[in-house]
Amino acid sequence: EIMPSLVGSEMCIRDSTEHSGDCEVGGAVYFIVEDVDALHRAFSAAGVPIEQPPHDTEWGSREMLLLDPDHNRLRFATTTE
């Protein structure tokens, strides 16, 4: 299965494999990125399903949410304040 991943501030495509016991399914990761809207465009162009598109939050960030194939929540955020 092919899945986009981040390397530095760039997106690349890598092979995703399953390894028993790597981590508990249903976890969450919060990534601080320079430009969540640019990342959204890159993920969308790569055909990655977006669970929640970029939106402004009341706590001063702009965030989007993805689910990986194991249903882990991957939240990407840019500080707006």
Side-chain angles (χ1 to χ4, degrees), residues 23-30 65-68 70-75:
C23 66
E24 184 178 329
V25 173
V29 181
Y30 194 87
L65 176 67
L66 309 177
L67 294 178
D68 74 8
D70 290 322
H71 300 281
N72 296 299
R73 293 176 312 282
L74 308 177
R75 188 169 301 276

Side-chain angles (χ1 to χ4, degrees), residues 27-31 36 39-40 43-44 48-55 57 62-68 71-77:
V29 181
Y30 194 87
F31 297 94
V36 73
L39 186 59
H40 175 258
F43 277 134
S44 294
V48 175
I50 307 296
E51 185 74 15
Q52 187 177 59
H55 63 283
T57 67
R62 186 161 174 77
E63 302 182 355
M64 75 171 172
L65 176 67
L66 309 177
L67 294 178
D68 74 8
H71 300 281
N72 296 299
R73 293 176 312 282
L74 308 177
R75 188 169 301 276
F76 297 85

Side-chain angles (χ1 to χ4, degrees), residues 9 32-42 54 62 64 76-79:
S9 61
I32 305 296
V33 297
E34 188 173 319
D35 186 345
V36 73
D37 291 294
L39 186 59
H40 175 258
R41 288 188 296 275
R62 186 161 174 77
M64 75 171 172
F76 297 85
T78 299
T79 301

